[in-house]
Amino acid sequence: VLGGPGAGKSTFLRKMGLEALKGRLGRYEHECIPVFLELKSATSNPLNIEQAIAHEFQVCGFPSADACTTQLLEQGRLLVLLDGLDEVPSKNLNDVICQIQDFVDRYDNNRFIASCRVAAYRHNFRRFTDVAIADFDSAQIEQFINNWFNSNLDREVGTGQRCWEILQKPEHAAAKELAQTPLLLTLLCLVYDHSQNFPKNRSGLYRKALRILLEEWASEKRILQEEIYQGLSTELEEILLSDIAYHGFEADRLFFAQRDLVNQIKTFLTSNLNAPKHLNGEGVLNAIAIQQGILVERAEEVFSFSHLTLQEYLTAQFIEDHHQIGRLVSAHLTDERWQEVFLLVAGLMRGGADELLLRMERKARKLINTPKLAALLAWADRITVGSGGGMPAPTKRSAAIFLALMCDRALHLSHSFDPEVARVLDLARTLARAGVPEFIYTLNNTPARASTLTRAFARAFTQTFARELEKLKIFNNIDFNVLIARLEAFRARKPDIRQSAEAHQDFNFRLSQIWLNALQLDSNLISLSDEELESLEHYLYANWLIVRCRQAAVRLSPQIWQAIEARMLQIEPTELSTHTLRSETQAHPSAET
């Protein structure tokens, strides 16, 4: 189950579990006992899933929990709900994936549902079917709002209907887009209830919603008049929470031991001259956990933020408050775990996100670190420049790189600029996914693998696809009539599945050569090492993130963005010369510079 932040993945898994618990009365058609496991608690290595299931049974009072678990697994009676693959600590992720896969293979009579953010998913699981949680449509948004404002007073004055009508206005188009995500719609309702209006972007929404939660707590403090509450202002508490969030996120920690949190709160209070001196760490933590729902106790003396997105927002707030943009970019630009933090930081920079984007661009350009990568970018620019059509130059360059290497990152980048281009390229990517990233060389494959590649390439890189490319006007000086004629003549030579691996490999190679010749691409440029492929992946991801940050920013200089966009996926002649010179110097160490 895939979805963005706050799309309702965990809620969906819990709902599946509740329906399974109802048995024949529920809407889950299989008779299973559901077990919900939060993968972010997988801090131990190796992960013992059977032991984790037994622990859940033990907590629920099952007799002989270990023996019961083994028996139920062997009988195929369990629905195992594995929530939050993207929240597994990075250092454990590959091992956890392998352990889950092995467990599924061992007990494959049971049923398994896992959830993960789309951005963190890399088609990790075999034997699983990928499904995505759909965004709320307009009818569902309206229903949610009316359900939210369902008190007698709200129904009497029509609060829900008025909220829905205001959301329809053109000036609130951005807010309505946010409303497609359940978590963000929840926060929108919370904010509207207090201000009768909507913020313009996601960072602004989190800022207002968080402030409402903290101020509600402050109002409770005034009622209770307990000593622990007095003097801890909303601003001070927000700073404290962002401090906890940032240092935890930086350490790849989503769970916090109570002892560590108390010590961190004490350190924060003693290091702040203006913090009330009577406060103590235990009392502050207890008050926060009881009153707000921002930090919650997950197990005895173990806490976490109630939602990962809240920790990400508070982390972004810490970075903005402490001018940590340089460290953010230098340390985390290509770490996808930090993707949401980058987007939220861009939205928080009310003085302008120019510095952030320029730093990201400079860091990204350093990833083109070999002559071959530099030459590949130079080719993509040369084959697309002046090709006509109204699409941005980076779209054309990303399309060229995609065709050269079948690289998903290039597809995502082209989608950011032009969905029409992405639609055409996605057709080829979907049909030929079996060959990624082996578009050109398929040597040393088993016969079955070779025939799979042949079918994929033959379906994808056809004369029909060439005609679609011609319509997009991405490339210059390519004679598509010649290309299409050659593809039509070559189609009759496709081997059938009974023919040898060598025949399939020869077909794949010759089909590749037809495209390489048409694209005027030297095959040496796409014979990349694993390190070069990784660098290119990171480079394309970084550029895609720059585009996303541009979209998330509240303020950005048009001149700065135009300059960044013009340079995107492009190598300057001086940079190309430097790479060539460096390569020659490495080949002849004694040469004079």
Side-chain angles (χ1 to χ4, degrees):
V1 176
L2 305 173
K9 301 180 293 296
S10 300
T11 303
F12 177 75
L13 262 62
R14 292 177 187 276
K15 176 65 173 174
M16 292 291 287
L18 288 172
E19 291 298 322
L21 275 176
K22 295 176 185 176
R24 295 181 184 277
L25 298 176
R27 290 185 290 173
Y28 188 71
E29 65 182 46
H30 309 286
E31 292 189 15
C32 299
I33 300 173
V35 183
F36 185 88
L37 301 177
E38 288 187 312
L39 291 176
K40 65 182 176 184
S41 59
T43 53
S44 61
N45 198 14
L47 169 66
N48 191 324
I49 299 175
E50 187 167 348
Q51 191 177 77
I53 294 172
H55 174 72
E56 293 298 316
F57 281 132
Q58 187 177 19
V59 168
C60 294
F62 274 61
S64 306
D66 291 338
C68 179
T69 298
T70 302
Q71 184 177 359
L72 289 169
L73 283 168
E74 290 174 348
Q75 293 174 350
R77 294 288 308 282
L78 295 186
L79 168 62
V80 183
L81 303 163
L82 302 163
D83 185 46
L85 180 65
D86 54 286
E87 297 182 39
V88 173
S90 301
K91 64 181 185 298
N92 299 341
L93 181 58
N94 288 335
D95 289 337
V96 167
I97 290 171
C98 291
Q99 288 149 14
I100 291 173
Q101 199 68 67
D102 291 345
F103 189 81
V104 170
D105 290 341
R106 182 180 175 190
Y107 295 112
D108 61 355
N109 287 328
N110 297 274
R111 297 182 178 275
F112 299 86
I113 305 177
S115 72
C116 185
R117 283 188 181 182
V118 175
Y121 190 59
R122 288 291 170 268
H123 310 283
N124 305 98
F125 290 154
R126 60 184 184 273
R127 303 180 63 183
F128 277 66
T129 299
D130 296 345
V131 297
I133 291 187
D135 290 335
F136 276 175
D137 59 27
S138 292
Q140 291 168 322
I141 294 171
E142 183 177 11
Q143 180 185 348
F144 186 102
I145 290 173
N146 287 324
N147 289 344
W148 180 278
F149 296 107
N150 198 34
S151 69
N152 291 334
L153 178 60
D154 283 328
R155 288 201 303 272
E156 184 179 328
V157 300
T159 307
Q161 186 59 33
R162 190 167 63 253
C163 174
W164 169 246
E165 289 171 357
I166 291 175
L167 196 60
Q168 305 310 302
K169 293 183 177 180
E171 61 265 32
H172 295 306
K176 188 174 182 183
E177 187 174 337
L178 294 175
Q180 296 172 348
T181 301
L183 175 66
L184 299 183
L185 179 53
T186 301
L187 298 180
L188 278 169
C189 289
L190 183 67
V191 169
Y192 180 82
D193 196 26
H194 282 72
S195 64
Q196 305 298 295
N197 215 325
F198 299 110
K200 292 288 191 292
N201 71 358
R202 193 163 46 160
S203 296
L205 173 60
Y206 286 128
R207 183 192 300 112
K208 287 191 174 184
L210 183 65
R211 185 56 61 94
I212 288 167
L213 291 173
L214 298 179
E215 287 175 351
E216 282 188 347
W217 184 44
S219 68
E220 291 292 325
K221 290 186 289 187
R222 288 193 291 274
I223 295 169
L224 294 171
Q225 293 295 317
E226 291 184 18
E227 183 182 7
I228 189 63
Y229 300 119
Q230 296 174 10
L232 187 61
S233 67
T234 301
E235 289 79 10
L236 192 61
E237 191 200 349
E238 199 171 328
I239 294 168
L240 168 61
L241 288 170
S242 67
D243 192 273
I244 293 170
Y246 172 79
H247 289 100
F249 205 80
E250 183 73 58
D252 201 359
R253 259 189 319 137
L254 303 181
F255 286 93
F256 308 90
Q258 179 174 317
R259 181 183 65 254
D260 295 338
L261 277 179
V262 168
N263 288 336
Q264 192 170 349
I265 292 170
K266 287 178 178 177
T267 301
F268 176 84
L269 294 173
T270 56
S271 64
N272 186 344
L273 182 65
N274 294 325
K277 303 307 176 190
H278 68 278
L279 296 180
N280 66 80
E282 292 87 350
V284 170
L285 176 60
N286 185 55
I288 291 173
I290 289 173
Q291 296 290 343
Q292 297 169 313
I294 296 173
L295 272 177
V296 295
E297 191 170 12
R298 300 291 188 181
E300 188 174 358
E301 298 186 349
V302 177
F303 292 78
S304 77
F305 285 91
S306 56
H307 198 284
L308 175 59
T309 311
L310 273 177
Q311 185 174 357
E312 289 168 330
Y313 169 74
L314 287 162
T315 297
Q317 190 177 72
F318 181 95
I319 290 167
E320 168 65 0
D321 288 345
H322 292 79
H323 310 292
Q324 295 286 315
I325 302 300
R327 170 163 176 74
L328 173 68
V329 173
S330 63
H332 303 298
L333 178 61
T334 58
D335 184 348
E336 295 182 42
R337 192 172 67 87
W338 287 76
Q339 181 185 125
E340 290 299 317
V341 175
F342 271 90
L343 299 177
L344 291 165
V345 166
L348 285 171
M349 300 179 74
R350 285 178 287 184
D354 301 8
E355 179 191 355
L356 173 65
L357 267 60
L358 286 169
R359 284 180 179 271
M360 292 171 72
E361 184 199 20
R362 286 196 295 269
K363 176 74 173 177
R365 296 184 82 83
K366 292 178 181 178
L367 295 167
I368 302 301
N369 51 13
T370 71
K372 197 175 289 186
L373 289 177
L376 181 62
L377 288 193
W379 164 81
D381 187 41
R382 184 176 65 253
I383 198 71
T384 58
V385 67
S387 58
M391 66 189 66
T395 305
K396 300 176 184 179
R397 296 174 197 139
S398 60
I401 293 170
F402 176 86
L403 284 178
L405 286 167
M406 289 295 293
C407 181
D408 282 4
R409 299 293 194 191
L411 175 64
H412 293 156
L413 186 58
S414 68
H415 187 276
S416 298
F417 284 104
D418 196 308
E420 179 64 17
V421 174
R423 183 191 64 77
V424 174
L425 297 181
D426 196 37
L427 172 66
R429 193 273 308 268
T430 301
L431 293 174
R433 181 177 288 283
V436 176
E438 301 162 276
F439 176 43
I440 303 304
Y441 295 104
T442 60
L443 302 176
N444 302 319
N445 283 301
T446 62
R449 175 69 170 151
S451 62
T452 300
L453 288 169
T454 299
R455 291 196 299 274
F457 293 155
R459 285 197 307 267
F461 298 102
T462 61
Q463 55 271 31
T464 302
F465 179 65
R467 290 192 185 98
E468 290 291 322
L469 280 182
E470 184 179 21
K471 291 177 189 175
L472 292 173
K473 300 187 183 304
I474 294 173
F475 302 101
N476 59 42
N477 300 323
I478 291 183
D479 191 333
F480 278 95
N481 291 327
V482 172
L483 172 61
I484 291 167
R486 288 177 177 172
L487 290 171
E488 287 178 340
F490 189 69
R491 181 173 53 176
R493 302 174 62 177
K494 176 186 171 185
D496 63 40
I497 195 169
R498 293 169 296 180
Q499 291 182 258
S500 67
E502 289 75 14
H504 286 277
Q505 290 163 355
D506 181 66
F507 177 86
N508 296 336
F509 179 78
R510 291 178 183 276
L511 177 58
S512 300
Q513 287 300 316
I514 290 174
W515 279 91
L516 287 173
N517 291 336
L519 295 171
Q520 304 159 35
L521 176 60
D522 183 349
S523 61
N524 288 323
L525 291 188
I526 52 177
S527 179
L528 302 177
S529 67
D530 290 342
E531 291 78 12
E532 286 173 319
L533 280 171
E534 184 178 28
S535 290
L536 182 61
E537 278 279 292
H538 286 162
Y539 174 74
L540 292 169
Y541 168 76
N543 279 276
W544 174 78
L545 188 57
I546 289 170
V547 175
R548 294 284 311 280
C549 286
R550 179 259 181 193
Q551 295 164 345
V554 174
R555 183 178 178 186
L556 182 67
S557 162
Q559 292 79 17
I560 293 291
W561 174 247
Q562 288 166 9
I564 291 174
E565 185 181 40
R567 294 189 295 261
M568 195 169 281
L569 305 189
Q570 185 183 52
I571 189 116
E572 299 292 338
T574 53
E575 293 178 288
L576 186 61
S577 301
T578 301
H579 282 294
T580 304
L581 179 60
R582 185 183 301 123
S583 177
E584 292 173 350
T585 305
Q586 289 169 349
H588 306 284
S590 60
E592 292 291 334
T593 302

